[in-house]
């Protein structure tokens, strides 16, 4: 079986989810995803079948997570969700620590419900060296290095500069939470 991979988010601002979906499709995986800001037709244009989260859990062989840590996403993957997942699901979280309830993940790794997990983010960073989760033979743990490449640093610098120019010119900015305050400071 080529497997089913679930991705979220899928919106253009969620660039990583889209990139991962395309890579998984290259390996013959059917990709399904969820994003509250993307329509089923937009997802289909990316080759992703749009599903609600509750529809994804029982069918996915792989779950990759691409969400920010917000009150609504804290412990998004928890005991209740793991119960709904297919036995042997594999989980990758390179987004933010806290999205996965680590106690529930450990319990489900121990039971075999979760076959394996790969994490480069943890609720408490750095995680304790004697953490039972870190010691689990079916966990791959790496340091959180996603933005540590020269390319990522260049892209971030360019995006920040573009946002300042947009603010200066009175245009909208994506992801800038304090835009009104910055506009005022730039106009002084």
């Amino acid at each position: 079986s080529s497997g089913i991979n679930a991705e979220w988010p899928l919106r253009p601002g969620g660039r990583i989810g889209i990139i991962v979906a395309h890579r998984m499709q290259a390996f013959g995986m059917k990709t399904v995803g969820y994003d509250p800001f993307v329509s089923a037709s937009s997802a289909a244009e990316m080759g992703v079948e749009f599903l609600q989260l509750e529809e994804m859990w029982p069918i996915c062989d792989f779950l990759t997570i691409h969400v920010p840590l917000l009150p609504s996403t804290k412990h998004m993957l928890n005991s209740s969700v793991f119960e709904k997942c297919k036995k042997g699901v594999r989980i990758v979280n390179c987004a933010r620590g806290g999205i996965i309830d680590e106690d529930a993940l450990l319990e489900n790794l121990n039971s075999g419900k979760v076959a394996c997990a790969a994490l480069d983010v943890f609720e408490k960073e750095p995680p304790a060296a004697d953490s039972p989760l870190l010691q689990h033979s079916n966990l791959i743990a790496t340091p959180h290095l996603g933005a540590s490449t020269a390319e990522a640093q260049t892209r971030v610098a360019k995006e920040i500069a573009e946002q300042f120019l947009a603010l200066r010119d009175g245009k909208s900015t994506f992801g800038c939470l304090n835009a009104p305050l910055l506009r005022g400071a730039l106009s002084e």
Side-chain angles (χ1 to χ4, degrees), residues 26-42:
F27 287 106
M29 276 189 174
K30 173 183 177 184
T31 52
V32 300
Y34 169 77
D35 189 311
F37 303 104
V38 172
S39 68
S41 61
S42 294

Side-chain angles (χ1 to χ4, degrees), residues 3-104:
I4 298 176
N5 189 58
E7 308 288 341
W8 72 94
L10 298 170
R11 62 186 170 276
R15 156 179 67 234
I16 295 169
I18 294 167
I19 290 168
V20 172
H22 289 155
R23 290 203 167 108
M24 295 303 96
Q25 291 163 4
F27 287 106
M29 276 189 174
K30 173 183 177 184
T31 52
V32 300
Y34 169 77
D35 189 311
F37 303 104
V38 172
S39 68
S41 61
S42 294
E45 289 174 16
M46 294 178 261
V48 177
E49 180 183 354
F50 181 88
L51 297 175
Q52 295 299 316
L53 290 173
E54 294 297 316
E55 297 173 297
M56 288 189 336
W57 308 136
I59 66 167
C60 290
D61 299 300
F62 295 85
L63 290 171
T64 63
I65 302 164
H66 311 283
V67 297
L69 179 61
L70 305 169
S72 61
T73 61
K74 181 160 177 69
H75 289 178
M76 182 179 207
L77 290 178
N78 54 45
S79 294
S80 173
V81 168
F82 289 132
E83 285 177 22
K84 298 170 187 168
C85 287
K86 180 188 274 192
K87 182 171 175 50
V89 67
R90 290 153 177 86
I91 298 178
V92 177
N93 183 13
C94 298
R96 294 287 179 258
I99 295 169
I100 297 177
D101 177 337
E102 292 177 6
D103 291 334

